[in-house]
Every structure is written in C-alpha cells, then in structure tokens.
Amino acid sequence: MTERPYEFVTTAEGPVLRVWARGFSVLGTPMLNRGTAFTPDERRALGLVGLLPQGVSTIDGQLRRVHAQYQRQPDDLARNVYLANLRDRNEVLFYRLLSEHLGDMLPIVYTPTVGKAIERYSHEYRRPRGVFLSVDHPDLIEESFRDYGLGADDVDLIVATDAEGILGIGDWGVGGIEIAIGKLAVYIAAAGIHPRRVIPVVLDMGTDNLRLLNDKMYLGNRHARVRGQRYDDFIDTYVTTAVKLFPHALLHWEDLGAANARRVLQRYADQCCTFNDDMQGTAAVVLAAALAAARASETRMGDQRVVIHGAGTAGLGIADMLRDVMVGAGLSPEEATRRFWCLDRQGLITDDRLADLLDFQRPYARPAAEVADWTRTGAGRGPSLADVVAHVHPTMLIGTSTQAGAFTEAVVRQMAAHVGRPVIMPLSNPTSRAEAVPADLIAWTDGRALVATGSPFDPVVHEETTYRIAQANNALVFPGLGLGVAVVRARRVSDRMLAAAADAVAGLSDAGIRGAPLLPPVDNLREVSATVAVAVAEAAVADGLADVALDDPIQQIHQAMWQPEYPRVEAL
C-alpha cells in the first residue's frame, strides 16, 4: 500500500484520479472528496457504502446548493469562512463555485475581506494549509518543503509572504499565510493553475504587532520582527532551497514590507524566475490602463506628462514600467524620465533632497532650479500637488498616496482645463483612502476623464451616459502571467513579458467608446488570463527564456488550464 492517497494522471480519454485511500480517508481529503456526487459504483470501489446519503448529485446540483448556502451568510467575513470550509471538504466544488462567481467572490477570498480573516487567523484556526517557515529554524526549510509531499516537477508556483505589509493593515505575522492562500485561489480559479501544483508559504520573521505578541492565542513566532543580515540570510536560504527543490516554479513575493520588497526582488530577479505582484503586477495593470487611455485619447505614450502622487514602492514601480514603455517607443532613458513628476508627503521630490530619498526615488528627482520660481501653496519642502498640476499640465494623474480626497476639485479642473481626455487613476485602497471618487471626477471634467481606480466603484451616470469604472485590479495580470510562465517553463520574468501582459489586457478594452471602462471587468477572468498567458509565453520565447517550445500557443494554454470538474476515478 503506497503512502500516497491519490495521484492525477492524464490519459487519452482525459484526466484520471487514481485513488489508494478508502472510506473516511477519501471523505476527509479535500481533493478526493466529492460528497454526494460519488456514484454507486465509486462508493463501492472506495469503501463509501453507507457513509453517504443514498441520493446522488451532479456537480451542478451541488453548485446550486452551496451557492445558496453562501448567499445566506450574514456578512463578508462569514462568507470568507464559509468558502474556506467548503475548500477544506471539497476542493473541486469550491473552485467550481469560485470560478463561476469570480466577480462577486474575488473581494471575499482576496482583498479586502481576506484582511479580516488574517486578523482573526489565530482565533479562527482550522485546517492548516501551506508551508510555515520560521526565521528561528532556517535549518528546517528543506525538510518543511519535503514534508509538503511534492516533487521537483510537481510545482508551478510558490506564493510567499513575510506578512509585514499586509494590504492596508500592516504587520500580521503568521496570519499572512491567508494572503498567500487567497492569492493562489485567484491563480487557480482565474487561470486554471492546478491546485495541487502550488504552495502557499509564510516566512515567519516574528512580528512588531504588540496586539499579536500579547495575544495568548497567537500561533506565530512570539518575538519582534527580525531584520538586517539575519532576515537576508533567511530569505536567501528560502530562495536557494525552493529553486533547488522546485526548479520550474515561479517564486511570487506578496506583501513584503516597503523596506524589503524592491531590494529582495532586485536581488533575485536575474537568478531565478521571480515576481512581486505588489510592484510588478500593480505596475502592469496600471500600464494596461495607460495604454488603453492613450489609444482612446489618440495620443502616444511618449507624449504623456505623468504626475504620480505617492512616490513609494508602488508609485515608482508604476513609473518605472511606464518609463520603460516610453523608451521602447523611442525616447532616451533621460527623456523618458523627464516625463514624470513624483510627489511624496513633502511634495515634489527634487534633487536638493537627495540625502533624504530612497535609491529608487532618486532617478525621478526634478532639478530644484526648475521649480525655484514656482508659486508655492503647500506646507511641504517641495511644491504641492496643486502647484505641480498648475505648472506641468499633466495628461496622467496617478494616486498611490493613501491620502483620501487628495485629487480635489480645483486640482482636477486645473488639469482638465489643459487636456482633452485627462487620465486620472486614484489607486489607493481601500475605498476610504482613494484620492478621489469616480462620480466627482466625471462631473468635474464633464465626462471627459478616463478613470481607473484601485477599489471597485459602481457605474456613474452623467448627462444620460453611464460610465463604467475600470478597476486596476492585479487579478487582470498575475494569473495569466503565472500560467504563461508555467506553460513554457520560463527561467525568468522579463520586462518584455510584463509589458506583453499589460498590452494584452489593454487590447481587451473598449475605452474608445464613450462610457466604456479602461480595463476589462474581472467577471470573465479566465478569458483575460488565457489572453495574457499567450502574450507572456510568446514574450518569454522571444526573450530566449522558455524551456518548452511554443508550437501552438492558444492550444497549449487552453490545455494547461485545469477545469474544476470531477475526473474519472480509478480505485487501486
């Protein structure tokens, strides 16, 4: 009797689930259990006779039942818990439900509701999922991965977080495993990555959250967050071990703290296949919106004047990607950089503040002499947002500041007075921190603004036209990127691959039609993800990074997408 309870194989007739487990072991294994959908023959073969009600359901019948149960939950956190419990008992049914209602359920399994689940993790602890790696035991990293039970060719994707910068809620220690689990749920439902070819990981560095350290129920390392060389050594051991054990896996970083996210990505970007969604995914989806906006306004990317309010990791990650596209369109790096005006809490960043700026901010510092004679209205060291907009006349205004209402009526009207189709993206999450709300932006520009937001907003009606508001949701990019990487077994994630993903998303936009959103909606993410995956795979081949030939891209992508359906069972 093998130690494996089951294995998946692909035959000429389709996928087959070979099962060694019997009885309650089958019902207790989420990937095996199909509950009342087991046929009489399957029940006899798997030792389930008498362990289930007599009625046999189809997966469609089960879907109706669980969707009704989901809808009866009293609030979003209860819905999140319900879905987690469903996944813990019947994984295929969970992903079938999620994939068919992804637009509605995405905010439940991922941001923003997953934040509440993370805060309650130690109190609501149920079935463990993923790999828990402790900075106090770097010697156990390899053993921990091996205990997960997957081999070198069995893993396409590992999502890891150190949980320091969880969404908008900060440091939540070991509870961050839920962000990795939620991210992977989107990869699986949206792009068809197989649920048994992924690993969620939490890198437990401790926590500086005093609420957790003083909570007797807390399940993570009970000490202050580790930083410095010890942090770097642990990350290095994690990456080295993951690459050794799973050489074809994409290493996805999620919600690392601002001080580590960029430098960790840069350290390993040329060594292995790695990706940071907070930086690169955000930048790619904003680039997609920018490309769609440029086409809708019949302008070129190289002609844009871009103001970014919020010169942090996300904001300047966006700047970097937009700048790269401008360079690709013919501008020199210096010319492209001069198309950006970036502000932090002290105002416009200028070269007389270099000592106070982070490395990634310095290239965007404007000459202090350039702004010396500007009228100043703000209290910061540099010109305010209003000052910059008045002098620069930007074509694009991007907000990553978390400063609610920063895009005031005066600022927006000033911008719109000089641009036919102002592109305005208040991207800060949650909604309460958005730099502006779409209804105001549409009204203040008389319907001319091209708008994308970080949070979902209802359509806006203005002078008998309904404007659907694009949400710059990373889910438009990262699932397809992961699928494309997996299909060709890309050795790296290149700038060309990210730009190709953004261009593919922009190509699905109808933004030239009045009232149409800048980006496709998240309701049909499987189509979007497949389109992105084809573009990413082709870009990987063009960059010489693919280890698998791409002879028939559409068919190869289509075949690689796992379908949440019950496969044929063979009892062994």
Side-chain angles (χ1 to χ4, degrees):
M1 179 77 171
T2 180
E3 293 181 357
R4 295 174 297 170
Y6 65 93
E7 70 175 2
F8 287 97
V9 295
T10 301
T11 69
E13 291 78 29
V16 174
L17 187 61
R18 293 176 173 169
V19 183
W20 285 270
R22 292 294 184 272
F24 284 115
S25 293
V26 174
L27 299 180
T29 305
M31 205 63 203
L32 290 183
N33 182 33
R34 55 187 69 175
T36 57
F38 280 115
T39 66
D41 288 345
E42 290 168 344
R43 297 180 190 198
R44 283 190 293 273
L46 297 175
L48 300 176
V49 173
L51 303 185
L52 293 164
Q54 292 301 306
V56 176
S57 304
T58 64
I59 193 170
D60 291 327
Q62 290 179 317
L63 191 66
R64 288 191 296 272
R65 182 182 300 120
V66 295
H67 189 228
Q69 292 170 353
Y70 169 85
Q71 290 179 309
R72 288 197 296 270
Q73 302 306 306
D75 54 45
D76 285 349
L77 181 57
R79 294 182 186 97
N80 176 280
V81 171
Y82 175 83
L83 291 175
N85 288 334
L86 175 60
R87 179 172 51 203
D88 285 345
R89 68 176 187 269
N90 185 332
E91 208 154 352
V92 174
L93 183 58
F94 163 76
Y95 283 113
R96 179 67 171 267
L97 177 66
L98 181 59
S99 63
E100 293 200 5
H101 300 277
L102 196 50
D104 293 334
M105 294 184 180
L106 189 61
I108 305 300
V109 299
Y110 194 55
T111 178
T113 308
V114 72
K116 299 176 184 177
I118 290 168
E119 292 177 351
R120 296 287 304 164
Y121 179 76
S122 293
H123 290 257
E124 304 291 342
Y125 180 78
R126 296 177 299 273
R127 184 189 187 104
R129 282 183 172 270
V131 174
F132 299 79
L133 302 178
S134 168
V135 69
D136 299 331
H137 301 287
D139 55 309
L140 298 180
I141 291 178
E142 182 166 341
E143 181 179 350
S144 300
F145 272 130
R146 291 193 185 281
D147 284 349
Y148 201 72
L150 296 177
D153 294 327
D154 297 337
V155 180
D156 295 324
L157 185 61
I158 303 175
V159 174
T161 181
D162 71 1
E164 184 175 9
I166 295 291
L167 305 171
I169 61 175
D171 180 348
W172 280 89
V174 75
I177 190 68
E178 290 286 355
I179 202 73
I181 293 168
K183 203 81 176 189
L184 285 169
V186 182
Y187 269 112
I188 295 163
I193 304 291
H194 198 287
R196 281 296 169 264
R197 297 188 62 83
V198 303
I199 305 177
V201 171
V202 63
L203 306 167
D204 189 352
M205 299 290 185
T207 179
D208 288 342
N209 187 327
L210 292 175
R211 174 176 162 189
L212 295 180
L213 292 176
N214 288 282
D215 183 349
K216 293 181 180 180
M217 301 287 284
Y218 180 58
L219 292 170
N221 284 330
R222 200 174 290 273
H223 58 66
R225 182 168 287 275
V226 168
R227 304 186 187 279
Q229 190 61 49
R230 190 177 165 206
Y231 176 97
D232 289 349
D233 290 345
F234 185 72
I235 292 292
D236 197 58
T237 304
Y238 159 71
V239 172
T240 302
T241 306
V243 170
K244 180 181 78 171
L245 296 179
F246 312 111
H248 308 301
L250 169 62
L251 304 187
H252 173 133
W253 304 99
E254 188 70 21
D255 286 351
L256 271 62
N260 294 316
R262 179 178 289 263
R263 67 183 191 85
V264 167
L265 177 66
Q266 290 178 337
R267 179 173 181 179
Y268 298 105
D270 294 330
Q271 299 181 30
C272 61
C273 188
T274 190
F275 167 74
N276 184 307
D277 187 50
D278 304 303
M279 292 170 53
Q280 295 167 298
T282 298
V285 76
V286 175
L287 172 59
L291 291 170
R295 293 166 188 168
S297 60
E298 299 181 347
T299 59
R300 300 181 303 173
M301 281 300 298
D303 294 332
Q304 307 302 321
R305 297 182 302 280
V306 185
V307 170
I308 295 183
H309 186 55
T313 299
L316 295 192
I318 292 167
D320 288 346
M321 193 167 289
L322 295 179
R323 182 182 61 178
D324 289 345
V325 169
M326 292 178 181
V327 171
L331 297 186
S332 70
E334 295 76 17
E335 289 171 330
T337 303
R338 288 198 297 270
R339 310 300 296 181
F340 292 84
W341 289 260
C342 304
L343 297 90
D344 63 9
R345 293 185 180 276
Q346 292 296 318
L348 181 67
I349 58 176
T350 50
D351 60 10
D352 58 347
R353 296 174 50 201
L354 290 179
D356 300 327
L357 299 179
L358 299 172
D359 289 346
F360 63 88
Q361 295 173 318
R362 289 172 183 163
Y364 293 98
R366 306 294 300 194
E370 174 187 294
V371 303
D373 60 350
W374 283 16
T375 302
R376 302 289 186 94
T377 61
R381 291 180 60 184
S384 69
L385 177 62
D387 300 334
V388 173
V389 170
H391 287 87
V392 170
H393 300 161
T395 60
M396 291 187 178
L397 178 58
I398 297 171
T400 54
S401 67
T402 69
Q403 294 177 12
F407 296 171
T408 64
E409 180 174 358
V411 164
V412 172
R413 288 191 182 277
Q414 172 68 248
M415 179 183 182
H418 301 278
V419 182
R421 299 298 305 274
V423 181
I424 308 177
M425 304 190 207
L427 300 177
S428 293
N429 284 312
T431 305
S432 60
R433 295 188 180 184
E435 289 82 3
V437 298
D440 288 340
L441 297 176
I442 298 296
W444 295 338
T445 62
D446 196 27
R448 292 184 289 122
L450 295 163
V451 179
T453 60
S455 299
F457 282 89
D458 292 333
V460 174
V461 179
H462 177 76
E463 293 187 352
E464 299 183 354
T465 298
T466 299
Y467 295 83
R468 288 178 290 148
I469 307 303
Q471 183 189 2
N473 193 319
N474 295 18
L476 294 168
V477 170
F478 72 80
L481 175 78
L483 178 60
V485 165
V487 166
V488 297
R489 288 195 164 176
R491 297 187 296 278
R492 305 285 184 274
V493 174
S494 67
D495 292 342
R496 188 202 296 250
M497 293 159 68
L498 292 165
D503 193 57
V505 174
L508 297 172
S509 167
D510 296 322
I513 301 172
R514 191 172 183 84
L518 276 179
L519 297 167
V522 297
D523 300 79
N524 194 9
L525 278 182
R526 286 186 73 94
E527 176 188 346
V528 174
S529 298
T531 303
V532 169
V534 170
V536 167
E538 290 175 339
V541 171
D543 274 344
L545 296 173
D547 283 344
V548 172
L550 197 65
D551 302 317
D552 190 350
I554 292 176
Q555 182 61 19
Q556 286 173 256
I557 295 297
H558 175 70
Q559 283 185 328
M561 295 179 74
W562 176 72
Q563 301 294 329
E565 299 170 349
Y566 296 136
R568 182 166 60 87
V569 170
E570 285 185 3
L572 299 178

